[in-house]
Amino acid sequence: MADIAHTVHVALGDRAYDILIGDSLLDDAGAILAERFPGRRYGIITDDNVARAQLPRLLKSLDAAGLGHTEIVLPAGEATKSWAYLGQAVEGILAARLERGDLVIALGGGVIGDLAGFAAAIARRGMDFVQMPTSLLAQVDSSVGGKTGINSPHGKNLIGAFHQPRLVLADLSTLDTLDARQFASGYAEVVKYGLIDDEDFFFWLEEHQAEIFAGGPARGEAIARCCAHKARVVIEDEKELGVRALLNLGHTFGHALEKDTGYSDRLLHGEGVAIGMVLAHGFSARLGLAPSQDSGRIAQHLKKSGLPTTLADIPGKLGSTETLMAAIAQDKKVSRGALTFILTRGIGQAFIEKNVDGAAVAEFLNEMRALPLSP
Amino acid sequence: MADIAHTVHVALGDRAYDILIGDSLLDDAGAILAERFPGRRYGIITDDNVARAQLPRLLKSLDAAGLGHTEIVLPAGEATKSWAYLGQAVEGILAARLERGDLVIALGGGVIGDLAGFAAAIARRGMDFVQMPTSLLAQVDSSVGGKTGINSPHGKNLIGAFHQPRLVLADLSTLDTLDARQFASGYAEVVKYGLIDDEDFFFWLEEHQAEIFAGGPARGEAIARCCAHKARVVIEDEKELGVRALLNLGHTFGHALEKDTGYSDRLLHGEGVAIGMVLAHGFSARLGLAPSQDSGRIAQHLKKSGLPTTLADIPGKLGSTETLMAAIAQDKKVSRGALTFILTRGIGQAFIEKNVDGAAVAEFLNEMRALPLSP
Ligand SMILES: NC(=O)c1ccc[n+]([C@@H]2O[C@H](COP(=O)([O-])OP(=O)(O)OC[C@H]3O[C@@H](n4cnc5c(N)ncnc54)[C@H](O)[C@@H]3O)[C@@H](O)[C@H]2O)c1
Ligand SMILES: NC(=O)c1ccc[n+]([C@@H]2O[C@H](COP(=O)([O-])OP(=O)(O)OC[C@H]3O[C@@H](n4cnc5c(N)ncnc54)[C@H](O)[C@@H]3O)[C@@H](O)[C@H]2O)c1
Ligand SMILES: [Zn+2]
Ligand SMILES: [Zn+2]
């Protein structure tokens, strides 16, 4: 029936679910849901951009399948991951009288996925939910694995729950309305999977980059490989007590930069991750752990994808190294005061290091600030 | 070391924990925590009444054990179980830089237990927490079992999480500062355990009521028996998919009455439950399921405990039967429209009935409204 190009199963016991990837899954959503979850009603949470670009397709498909639904449309943007909009989402679910057996649908990028998933986790002490990721970042990363949440004035993603979706529907055609800069930002997370522990995938990406950006079959394949990778990690370490932290490659630096630029248009999440991954490889090389040419090769690939790769690529004035270090220390990957970083022995060989010397990081950052724009 | 009169183990696998019951556990808390959770810091959440009456004992004991702590004192009362104070509690935890391995302490009645437990569930996507219940209701009911949450304008306890504590410390001496009406209200829940499936316990309560109210050893014993009962139910059905619903005996009526009286001083939770239990027995008798003399015997015992037992006992004017029925239908124990009630075949023989006829309930309520004050 539905045109499903790839299926990835996330084998989490009684919380197991499928990730379906295909070209027109939003149009098939009604039929897919009616078959998998008979007799339920749906609370769709989305943002205004996605409501404009993609919601009509989903509504049409739910209506065709005769499924009851209600829509909650929130403003687009990271600022929506807040107490105020969490309250609005949860109260909207309750106002629609959705019951514990009904489902929440997160239709949007990572912001909506994180917020709606968290709303589902706490409305009626836990409702089922379906991820329908519409940004590349959400399709390869945030929609899989059950981390949900909002931001605090004290830091990003500090409030939330582990709550797995019951199904992920990644419709590739939704990416056609995503803007190019957002697509590139999501692509940084694609590259990340190669860098962590899959050298072959990184080389394959180097080969297929043009096709992935153009929207050929390699796009679906890349997304499916990322989902399979993430699924493997999540199965092994659902609550991020161990290996799941590897997914934070590039993120400690990245988060500090995002914070410093005020989570604004100056630097998108994936852009911060792109710079952060280059820095993580550079810092690992500096420590004598990794070959020094890797960070250049990675930077070249990211640069070709339209991503920034050096601190100087960030528009506007960056905060002092002290400010950045304070942000790094405040990152929630801090464990009892010691700095935890994802370091690497080379492409595809990342590892968790719990005892990183803050002074060495600061010194390295100081030097990196002096580098020019990426060539 | 510590003077522990009773220990109840809640065998929930990797979420197992102990309930310790004793006369001076707040004074021993520092030593107990230091031994069980070495190297942690503590975020204490409490309300202003309990802060005045009991917090100094806990602080003294934590300080003596050299344990770091921060205090978050919220206003007393059901209205504190709201988004606003949840936000204050969570942000307070984050502001104090408590890490994922640190612990939240809920020091107070059921309001603080529910709110602080929920705050712990979502701060940093889940922190450990310890219940230190100080009301009778909290010691016998709300501190055990991991249901946490806040209220919504759409209804009570509609937002929350299942999050088990790591330890429950029930200090019997804290009940000395609890006011008598609150004590009686909590006692309704004690009686409930007998009515559900433990006839012998109900008869024992009839015998030992005076000693329980006076504070003799029967008080600790009663609390321990309640905790053991609740622990058994929670182990069998942690997420309330089945038998745990029996704990709602008297609560469907009770919640409707609480709602109708605006969750105010007019009717405390246990008072609503007391009337609700009498109604549940009366309604079951009306349906020919239970002996008709039971509800009288129960009413007599509750009345002797200072609890209301009929609708007429509620001060002020009660809403119409239609209003009460609407509240009943909105209660979250509604499953796809059918009314679910806890009915009974007699004292100690409660059961879940999912197909209760709304019209019969309305008719019964109408008659009950006409009854005079309890004799
Ligand atoms: N839960 C996790 O495991 C996890 C992992 C990584 C990132 N995240 C979170 O994800 C968020 C970032 O996600 P994001 O990059 O998708 O941001 P986003 O959700 O803000 O989406 C980016 C922008 O694209 C728009 N958009 C999305 N899909 C569109 C479409 N198909 N057509 C037109 N416009 C579209 C959105 O409205 C928004 O303006 C961050 O909050 C981050 O913390 C979570
Ligand atoms: N989570 C569960 O499983 C569960 C079960 C039953 C009830 N509840 C919830 O519990 C709440 C009711 O609990 P409660 O009856 O304890 O109410 P409460 O927490 O409001 O306490 C009642 C009053 O007594 C005061 N108090 C408490 N301990 C005291 C002490 N030792 N000395 C002096 N004053 C003290 C409080 O400040 C408050 O004013 C409701 O919100 C209900 O929904 C939860
Ligand atoms: Zn990321
Ligand atoms: Zn109760």
Side-chain angles (χ1 to χ4, degrees):
Chain A
M1 170 195 60
D3 184 13
I4 299 167
H6 305 270
T7 300
V8 176
H9 183 68
V10 188
L12 278 173
D14 60 354
R15 292 181 307 291
Y17 55 96
D18 286 330
I19 306 166
L20 309 184
I21 300 165
D23 270 323
S24 56
L25 293 182
L26 277 197
D27 309 311
D28 300 327
I32 293 171
L33 295 173
E35 195 195 324
R36 295 196 174 218
F37 312 104
R40 315 288 191 96
R41 291 172 59 229
Y42 294 85
I44 304 166
I45 301 179
T46 190
D47 72 27
D48 42 22
N49 287 337
V50 180
R52 216 175 305 116
Q54 302 291 344
L55 181 60
R57 292 175 61 199
L58 176 60
L59 295 184
K60 193 173 155 198
S61 145
L62 294 183
D63 287 337
L67 304 180
H69 53 81
T70 193
E71 295 81 53
I72 300 166
V73 180
L74 304 174
E78 185 69 30
T80 296
K81 276 173 60 175
S82 64
W83 284 107
Y85 289 109
L86 175 70
Q88 198 168 310
V90 171
E91 297 297 345
I93 290 167
L94 297 174
R97 305 234 179 158
L98 293 172
E99 297 176 10
R100 216 165 146 189
D102 292 328
L103 284 115
V104 171
I105 293 175
L107 176 73
V111 164
I112 287 298
D114 282 12
L115 179 90
F118 188 30
I122 65 175
R124 298 184 179 278
R125 287 207 191 89
M127 295 177 61
D128 289 339
F129 84 112
V130 175
Q131 289 275 17
M132 301 196 184
T134 64
S135 71
L136 180 57
L137 181 139
Q139 294 191 351
V140 300
D141 188 353
S142 61
S143 67
V144 177
K147 271 204 210 172
T148 70
I150 58 171
N151 302 322
S152 155
H154 297 285
K156 265 200 68 165
N157 297 326
L158 286 180
I159 305 156
F162 285 92
H163 188 51
Q164 300 292 345
R166 293 291 307 274
L167 178 68
V168 180
L169 292 187
D171 180 330
L172 298 168
S173 75
T174 60
L175 301 177
D176 298 343
T177 60
L178 185 68
D179 77 49
R181 187 177 168 195
Q182 291 288 353
F183 186 90
S185 174
Y187 185 71
E189 306 276 9
V190 174
V191 173
K192 184 185 74 178
Y193 289 108
L195 298 183
I196 291 174
D197 66 359
D198 192 349
E199 189 184 43
D200 289 346
F201 183 51
F202 179 75
F203 299 154
W204 183 86
L205 289 173
E206 287 184 319
E207 299 271 308
H208 294 82
Q209 184 185 34
E211 190 185 333
I212 292 169
F213 275 72
R219 182 183 282 183
E221 188 175 339
I223 291 171
R225 285 177 77 163
C226 293
C227 287
H229 189 152
K230 180 137 186 195
R232 236 187 304 119
V233 174
V234 168
I235 291 165
E236 199 175 327
D237 178 21
E238 187 178 4
K239 298 273 174 93
E240 193 167 334
L241 303 170
V243 292
R244 186 162 178 179
L246 285 175
L247 297 174
N248 290 321
L249 176 63
H251 280 62
T252 303
F253 285 121
H255 284 158
L257 297 172
E258 273 185 280
K259 183 169 189 190
D260 195 70
T261 49
Y263 302 100
S264 70
D265 256 13
R266 277 174 66 200
L267 191 75
L268 301 181
H269 175 73
E271 293 172 341
V273 171
I275 298 173
M277 293 190 298
V278 175
L279 290 174
H281 275 265
F283 183 60
S284 300
R286 169 66 47 90
L287 296 178
L289 295 165
S292 58
Q293 66 276 20
D294 279 2
S295 70
R297 181 171 181 173
I298 296 161
Q300 196 183 12
H301 182 66
L302 295 170
K303 168 97 180 148
K304 229 172 109 184
S305 314
L307 287 160
T309 60
T310 72
L311 295 176
D313 288 342
I314 303 171
K317 201 174 139 36
L318 213 58
S320 68
T321 299
E322 289 65 44
T323 321
L324 294 176
M325 289 305 299
I328 286 174
Q330 228 194 332
D331 202 72
K332 73 174 177 317
K333 284 176 289 302
V334 172
S335 168
R336 309 222 71 83
L339 285 189
T340 297
F341 263 83
I342 312 305
L343 297 180
T344 183
R345 297 195 176 82
I347 291 171
Q349 299 176 62
F351 64 97
I352 303 168
E353 174 55 59
K354 298 202 169 168
N355 259 307
V356 171
D357 174 18
V361 177
E363 194 189 318
F364 175 73
L365 273 181
N366 254 333
E367 274 175 53
M368 292 302 111
R369 305 168 69 89
L371 289 188
L373 284 183
S374 63
Chain B
M1 170 196 59
D3 185 14
I4 298 166
H6 304 269
T7 300
V8 176
H9 184 68
V10 188
L12 277 173
D14 59 354
R15 294 181 305 291
Y17 54 96
D18 285 331
I19 305 166
L20 309 184
I21 301 164
D23 270 322
S24 57
L25 293 182
L26 278 196
D27 309 311
D28 301 327
I32 293 171
L33 295 173
E35 195 196 324
R36 296 197 173 218
F37 312 104
R40 315 288 191 95
R41 291 171 60 228
Y42 295 85
I44 304 166
I45 301 179
T46 190
D47 72 26
D48 42 21
N49 287 337
V50 180
R52 214 175 308 115
Q54 302 292 345
L55 181 60
R57 292 175 61 200
L58 176 59
L59 295 184
K60 194 173 154 201
S61 143
L62 296 183
D63 287 337
L67 305 180
H69 53 80
T70 194
E71 296 82 51
I72 301 165
V73 180
L74 304 174
E78 184 70 29
T80 296
K81 276 174 60 176
S82 64
W83 284 108
Y85 289 110
L86 175 69
Q88 198 167 309
V90 171
E91 297 298 345
I93 290 167
L94 297 174
R97 304 235 179 156
L98 293 173
E99 298 175 10
R100 216 166 146 187
D102 292 329
L103 284 114
V104 172
I105 292 175
L107 177 73
V111 163
I112 287 298
D114 283 11
L115 178 89
F118 187 31
I122 65 175
R124 297 184 180 276
R125 287 207 190 88
M127 293 176 62
D128 289 339
F129 84 112
V130 175
Q131 289 275 16
M132 300 196 185
T134 64
S135 71
L136 180 57
L137 181 139
Q139 293 190 351
V140 300
D141 188 354
S142 61
S143 68
V144 178
K147 272 205 209 173
T148 70
I150 58 171
N151 302 323
S152 154
H154 297 286
K156 265 200 66 165
N157 297 326
L158 287 180
I159 304 156
F162 286 92
H163 188 51
Q164 300 291 345
R166 293 290 308 275
L167 178 69
V168 180
L169 292 187
D171 180 330
L172 298 167
S173 74
T174 61
L175 301 177
D176 297 344
T177 60
L178 184 69
D179 77 50
R181 187 176 168 195
Q182 291 289 352
F183 187 90
S185 174
Y187 185 71
E189 306 275 8
V190 174
V191 173
K192 183 185 75 176
Y193 290 107
L195 299 183
I196 290 174
D197 67 359
D198 193 350
E199 192 184 41
D200 287 346
F201 183 50
F202 180 75
F203 299 154
W204 183 88
L205 289 173
E206 286 183 321
E207 299 271 308
H208 293 82
Q209 183 184 36
E211 190 185 333
I212 291 168
F213 276 72
R219 182 184 281 184
E221 188 175 340
I223 291 171
R225 285 177 76 161
C226 293
C227 288
H229 189 153
K230 179 136 187 196
R232 237 187 304 117
V233 174
V234 167
I235 290 165
E236 199 174 329
D237 177 22
E238 188 178 2
K239 298 275 174 90
E240 192 166 334
L241 304 169
V243 292
R244 186 164 178 177
L246 285 174
L247 296 174
N248 290 321
L249 175 64
H251 280 62
T252 303
F253 285 122
H255 283 159
L257 297 172
E258 273 184 281
K259 183 169 189 188
D260 196 70
T261 48
Y263 302 101
S264 70
D265 255 13
R266 278 173 66 199
L267 191 74
L268 301 181
H269 174 74
E271 294 173 341
V273 171
I275 299 174
M277 292 189 301
V278 176
L279 290 175
H281 275 265
F283 182 61
S284 299
R286 169 67 47 91
L287 295 177
L289 294 166
S292 58
Q293 66 277 21
D294 279 2
S295 70
R297 180 169 181 174
I298 296 161
Q300 196 183 10
H301 182 66
L302 295 170
K303 169 97 180 149
K304 231 172 108 186
S305 314
L307 286 161
T309 60
T310 71
L311 295 177
D313 288 342
I314 303 171
K317 200 174 140 37
L318 212 59
S320 67
T321 300
E322 288 66 42
T323 321
L324 293 176
M325 287 306 297
I328 286 174
Q330 229 194 334
D331 201 72
K332 73 176 178 318
K333 285 175 288 302
V334 172
S335 168
R336 310 222 70 82
L339 285 189
T340 297
F341 262 82
I342 312 305
L343 297 180
T344 183
R345 298 196 174 81
I347 291 171
Q349 300 177 61
F351 64 97
I352 303 168
E353 174 55 61
K354 297 203 171 173
N355 259 308
V356 171
D357 175 19
V361 177
E363 195 189 317
F364 176 73
L365 273 181
N366 253 334
E367 275 175 53
M368 292 304 112
R369 305 170 68 89
L371 290 188
L373 284 184
S374 62

